[in-house]
Amino acid sequence: MSIKSQKDILAKLNIEKLNPMQEEASVALESSSNLVLLSPTGTGKTVAFLLPILKNLDADCTEVQVLILVPSRELAIQIESVVREMGTGYKVNSVYGGRTGSKDKIELKHRPAILIGTPGRVSDHIHYKNFPTRDIKTLVLDEFDKSLEIGFEDEMKEIISSLHNVKRRILTSATQGVPIPSFVGLKNPITVNHLGQGTSQLKIKRILSPDKDKLNPLVAALSHIGNQPGIIFCNFKDTIQRVSAHLEAHKISHGCFYGGMEQIDRERTLIKFRNGTHQLIVATDLAARGLDIPELGFILHYQLPQKSEEFTHRNGRTARMNTKGTAYILQWEKEPLPDFVTSAKIETLSQVKQLSPSKWRTLYISGGRKDKISKGDIAGIFFKQVHLSKDQLGVIEIKQDCAFVAIDASKMKAAIDTLNNTRIKKKKVRISQI
């Protein structure tokens, strides 16, 4: 297997050069085997820890060498996709709840060099000896402030106690001051702390509601903000469903994202958000970290979180990497602000404008990477057979066994009628709207 240089990997990721945090993390990992990396959401922590890890992989080893533990399925999927984009030649897999364990077992028979997973699912695989741990030399706890919470503690202890040959430990977070339990085995770590940087252009504004029920002020706030991608944060699933029904009644297109949803529905919400079919997601704190979504113009706290850390993580979804962004707090005028909101100017709503609907719709294609289907194959068939212009075909995402395409709403029916049950490469595919 040919080992790719860092320059080649960065080119694959369309990164011209490392940012200061990534440079510092790389230098720190050359001199220390234990690193705590603190940096705001969206500053590139995943690339910062993956590059030094890849340098130290043994190309001749056929077992798992790196274990990356994450608090959510979405973060596992995102890190896996980053490693795949790097095109290193090393096998990578992610395991997490919400999909069948038998699918994991099939993938784990041909061992990945890098295994990413949620604590519960990784703990199960270790318990049932679905892969050996003897060759795991590197342990990463990504978003460790979440991974080490009480709910995960037993599984984390069990996993870490089974890793007898770990030489390097890397912990990352966008939150400071979280205690690290002794069972992690972190000794004399170097801390790279960039938390004071990257969010200086974040504006926090309050929108006051005369009523305790904030549904109508929410619609007015969204109209005031205008057409731009954003997340509306709620604390509970019931609130999300209530907000979603109200937005639907006002014909405001959006997706929902919370822990109780089926994994396939959560993934499709993100796909439709990334390709512009939806500009809004209504979500719990599950969406505050580790999601593979584009830069956001704003986030809106429909309900404020209980903890300052979650407030920080939510706000970190916008104003990333020194770009501008706004965090709005929609608040009943008689409701007191929590102590962790130190400064927030009151925003006066301008005259309400009508939000324009998205021009995009999303199509599902029942063929993917395993069928050797590429983005070029999909684009080609849409251009040739449906006669689309370039501005009528949007983002194409290829998965292992399927693909998703954003298409101009006016061309959707013609595309389905023309292409459903046609062949892409040698695969006969079904095409439908999601």
Side-chain angles (χ1 to χ4, degrees):
M1 180 173 64
S2 62
I3 307 301
K4 287 217 166 34
S5 70
Q6 180 168 301
K7 187 179 176 183
D8 290 338
I9 290 170
L10 292 179
K12 278 258 188 187
L13 296 173
N14 294 317
I15 296 172
E16 285 186 20
K17 64 174 186 173
L18 297 179
N19 64 37
M21 176 274 291
Q22 292 165 333
E23 291 276 15
E24 197 178 331
S26 187
V27 171
L29 281 168
E30 283 175 17
S31 59
S32 172
S33 54
N34 290 307
L35 174 70
V36 176
L37 178 57
L38 305 174
S39 190
T41 302
T43 49
K45 292 190 291 295
T46 303
V47 171
F49 67 71
L50 280 175
L51 288 173
I53 283 172
L54 290 166
K55 271 187 196 172
N56 287 282
L57 286 177
D58 179 355
D60 297 322
C61 179
T62 57
E63 297 294 347
V64 179
Q65 299 179 59
V66 179
L67 179 61
I68 303 173
L69 293 171
V70 295
S72 72
R73 305 163 187 178
E74 283 69 31
L75 189 48
I77 293 164
Q78 183 185 335
I79 296 171
E80 181 184 10
S81 72
V82 172
V83 179
R84 288 188 191 282
E85 276 179 57
M86 288 175 156
T88 63
Y90 287 107
K91 188 170 188 279
V92 57
N93 283 119
S94 58
V95 294
Y96 45 84
R99 67 179 209 158
T100 61
S102 58
K103 190 174 180 182
D104 288 351
K105 283 174 76 173
I106 291 165
E107 290 183 347
L108 289 172
K109 276 186 178 174
H110 176 210
R111 306 270 194 259
I114 300 171
L115 180 64
I116 308 147
T118 49
R121 185 54 67 96
V122 171
S123 174
D124 286 346
H125 284 303
I126 289 175
H127 178 75
Y128 290 111
K129 296 182 168 52
N130 290 333
F131 65 90
T133 60
R134 64 178 179 272
D135 291 289
I136 296 175
K137 302 290 198 302
T138 300
L139 172 66
V140 180
L141 306 186
D142 200 16
E143 303 284 11
F144 74 85
D145 53 310
K146 268 290 184 198
S147 306
L148 295 172
E149 279 186 347
I150 306 295
F152 287 135
E153 192 172 357
D154 290 345
E155 286 132 337
M156 294 293 282
K157 274 183 180 172
E158 187 181 331
I159 293 166
I160 292 171
S161 68
S162 73
L163 307 177
H164 303 298
N165 298 318
V166 168
K167 301 284 190 287
R168 175 187 273 181
R169 291 167 174 81
I170 302 169
L171 279 64
T172 83
S173 180
T175 308
Q176 200 163 6
V178 179
I180 299 168
S182 58
F183 67 76
V184 174
L186 197 71
K187 291 172 185 169
N188 305 317
I190 288 180
T191 299
V192 173
N193 187 345
H194 280 246
L195 284 177
Q197 300 162 35
T199 56
S200 57
Q201 298 193 59
L202 173 70
K203 293 177 182 172
I204 300 178
K205 298 181 178 181
R206 292 162 69 201
I207 297 172
L208 298 181
S209 167
D211 307 313
K212 203 169 184 179
D213 186 337
K214 299 180 287 188
L215 288 173
N216 287 327
L218 171 63
V219 172
L222 292 173
S223 299
H224 168 79
I225 293 164
N227 283 96
Q228 54 178 310
I231 298 178
I232 301 163
F233 281 106
C234 304
N235 293 343
F236 309 105
K237 178 178 86 170
D238 291 352
T239 312
I240 287 178
Q241 290 169 341
R242 194 162 168 268
V243 167
S244 176
H246 193 76
L247 294 180
E248 217 164 273
H250 284 76
K251 296 185 168 50
I252 297 174
S253 175
H254 65 281
C256 294
F257 192 89
Y258 53 87
M261 291 172 68
E262 292 290 329
Q263 181 64 22
I264 190 170
D265 294 328
R266 276 161 55 170
E267 286 182 26
R268 288 183 176 190
T269 290
L270 298 181
I271 287 162
K272 289 164 94 167
F273 189 64
R274 284 194 290 264
N275 70 25
T277 298
H278 296 320
Q279 281 205 303
L280 298 172
I281 296 179
V282 188
T284 59
D285 286 326
L286 186 64
R289 51 176 100 207
L291 293 192
D292 181 17
I293 54 176
E295 181 60 51
L296 300 181
F298 77 99
I299 63 104
L300 187 147
H301 303 273
Y302 185 79
Q303 294 169 312
L304 281 165
Q306 301 299 312
K307 297 178 183 175
S308 63
E309 291 85 2
E310 294 310 329
F311 185 67
T312 301
H313 280 290
R314 288 181 181 187
N315 293 345
R317 298 263 36 135
T318 186
R320 295 161 68 176
M321 295 289 277
N322 301 313
T323 58
K324 293 177 181 177
T326 306
Y328 295 95
I329 299 168
L330 182 57
Q331 184 189 22
W332 179 36
E333 59 190 12
K334 294 180 182 175
E335 179 186 358
L337 273 176
D339 293 341
F340 55 74
V341 182
T342 52
S343 63
K345 290 182 179 177
I346 293 175
E347 179 91 336
T348 305
L349 298 187
S350 60
Q351 188 176 357
V352 174
K353 305 179 290 288
Q354 188 66 39
L355 288 171
S356 53
S358 170
K359 70 175 257 187
W360 299 110
R361 297 295 180 268
T362 302
L363 296 180
Y364 163 86
I365 299 175
S366 65
R369 273 197 304 266
K370 69 177 176 57
D371 306 300
K372 306 285 191 272
I373 292 173
S374 70
K375 289 183 182 181
D377 296 326
I378 291 172
I381 203 166
F382 274 82
F383 288 138
K384 285 175 191 167
Q385 295 194 32
V386 191
H387 309 297
L388 299 184
S389 59
K390 284 192 176 177
D391 63 350
Q392 290 174 325
L393 189 69
V395 176
I396 299 170
E397 284 197 37
I398 308 265
K399 305 292 182 187
Q400 190 64 13
D401 52 8
C402 63
F404 299 90
V405 181
I407 186 171
D408 191 300
S410 66
K411 293 290 185 177
M412 184 186 65
K413 186 178 183 304
I416 294 172
D417 292 345
T418 305
L419 298 178
N420 192 30
N421 289 320
T422 193
R423 289 186 185 276
I424 303 180
K425 287 280 176 68
K426 294 179 181 177
K427 169 82 171 177
K428 190 176 186 181
V429 297
R430 297 188 316 280
I431 295 182
S432 57
Q433 184 187 5
I434 62 162

